[in-house]
Amino acid sequence: MTSPAPTRTEASARAASDVTVEHGSDRPLDLGLTLAPLRHGAYDPTFRRTPDGALWRTTLVRTGPVTQRFVPTGPRTAVVQHWGPGSREAADAVPELLGEADDASAFTPPPQARDAARRTPGLRMCRSGRVLEALVPAVLEQKVQVVTAHRAWRWLVARHGSPAPGPAPAGMRVVPSARGWAAVPTWDWHRAGVDPRRAATAVRCAQVAARLEDAAGMPAAEARARLEKVPGIGVWTSAEVAQRAFGDADAVSVGDFHLAGAVGWALTGERTDDEGMLRLLAPYAPHRHRVVRLLFLDRRPQAPRRGPRLSIADYRAM
């Protein structure tokens, strides 16, 4: 049986890239699970999976935009190609991005998550090191349904981002710079379906982006405290950033509309609130976020919903 002919993107990707890294690890590595938190919706223009099994990602590092192509070559190895001005900087950060610093050797999962942990030995906590890149989509997800936030992210990056360098799949874009986010006009936030409060928070973050990016090199508690000094950034948002930008395996998204109930249901068969969730997760510190990820991977029944479903607010019509 003959293999299908490669697409133009796949064929181009096999040509020379600006920088190629052959990454090897001493423990299992699952690229899909490790990088999944960096994807914001199925149609995120900064993240793509192609039919050849490769994962594509764009990012904006200090030295410029870059496109990355991740290809697993074994249970512990991968090849990562880079295109664009930021290639060398992004290539140097590949081990960090793929969770080589994530140490789970002393972690013992709760009984309800043991099967998931056994089935996913290659799950790592990724560390992108890019604060604003994690912060803007987290701000968009504040107090709204995730489908609304993903739609806004997709629209804003497509309109205000830049084309992905190299042979990236069609439609991929690089996120705007801090200056670009700060310059998004009021009417474009509105057209994206983002209310004035979230738009103002995102702009404030962009205006102090240099200070926020420095948080990636701080201890977790100090880093989150710096983020939370920005008006509009609370514990939920800082946790979402810490999970992605800092690789924090202990950051729990307190304040999430559904999370506490789902965690309580998974661990005890009863719904709980944020305080109860933190009590249940306390024995697993400093791996509380890791427990949450495993519980959701296990696909166990969700807590029964109470009350009517919230309608999806469309701020574009207001």
Side-chain angles (χ1 to χ4, degrees):
M1 182 176 179
T2 59
S3 300
T7 65
R8 178 179 298 181
T9 297
E10 293 165 5
S12 299
R14 293 169 188 170
S17 59
D18 294 342
V19 179
T20 298
V21 174
E22 296 184 4
H23 178 75
S25 183
D26 60 0
R27 52 200 170 97
L29 169 63
D30 188 314
L31 288 173
L33 288 177
T34 298
L35 296 175
L38 303 181
R39 184 176 194 173
H40 301 283
Y43 303 103
D44 185 345
T46 72
F47 200 104
R48 193 73 55 81
R49 183 189 292 271
T50 48
D52 61 344
L55 293 175
W56 294 77
R57 171 182 179 255
T58 64
T59 185
L60 183 62
V61 296
R62 288 179 173 83
T63 49
V66 60
T67 297
Q68 296 178 295
R69 178 179 183 257
F70 301 83
V71 180
T73 54
R76 303 183 180 195
T77 57
V79 169
V80 188
Q81 296 171 280
H82 301 76
W83 294 268
S87 291
R88 184 71 269 169
E89 182 182 349
D92 290 342
V94 163
E96 193 172 71
L97 176 67
L98 297 182
E100 288 299 328
D102 178 34
D103 183 7
S105 58
F107 172 60
T108 301
Q112 298 85 346
R114 285 175 189 164
D115 285 345
R118 176 182 51 79
R119 289 187 279 103
T120 58
L123 170 65
R124 314 268 190 90
M125 301 297 114
C126 67
R127 187 181 191 279
S128 74
R130 309 307 301 151
V131 176
L132 190 63
E133 214 163 282
L135 186 51
V136 172
V139 169
L140 296 180
E141 292 177 13
Q142 292 176 345
K143 308 296 183 182
V144 298
Q145 293 86 345
V146 69
V147 64
T148 301
H150 288 170
R151 182 177 61 202
W153 171 254
R154 182 169 68 248
W155 193 94
L156 289 164
V157 173
R159 184 166 181 84
H160 293 279
S162 58
M172 289 199 73
R173 306 283 286 180
V174 180
V175 294
S177 65
R179 181 176 297 179
W181 281 119
V184 173
T186 302
W187 53 86
D188 272 359
W189 291 109
H190 184 77
R191 291 175 67 188
V194 181
D195 62 89
R197 180 190 60 79
R198 287 181 294 148
T201 299
V203 170
R204 280 193 294 268
C205 292
Q207 291 170 339
V208 294
R211 290 276 294 163
L212 298 182
E213 294 294 349
D214 288 343
M218 297 177 174
E222 292 180 31
R224 291 186 61 180
R226 174 168 290 193
L227 296 182
E228 291 168 20
K229 288 180 180 179
V230 180
I233 303 301
V235 292
W236 181 88
T237 307
S238 73
E240 293 287 304
V241 174
Q243 294 159 12
R244 294 162 175 81
F246 309 151
D248 191 342
D250 200 47
V252 183
S253 300
V254 175
D256 188 281
F257 188 75
H258 298 294
L259 184 64
V263 169
W265 185 263
L267 292 177
T268 69
E270 297 181 359
R271 296 176 62 93
T272 190
D273 55 14
D274 282 334
E275 185 178 347
M277 174 179 67
L278 292 177
R279 283 198 302 269
L280 291 171
L281 293 174
Y284 305 102
H287 298 279
R288 295 177 298 171
H289 173 57
R290 193 187 311 276
V291 171
V292 172
R293 283 207 67 189
L294 289 171
L295 290 174
F296 277 82
L297 285 174
D298 203 32
R299 299 183 183 277
R300 63 180 58 255
Q302 296 294 303
R305 297 180 183 271
R306 295 178 179 174
R309 289 178 179 271
L310 292 175
S311 59
I312 297 178
D314 190 349
Y315 293 97
R316 297 171 298 180
M318 298 179 182

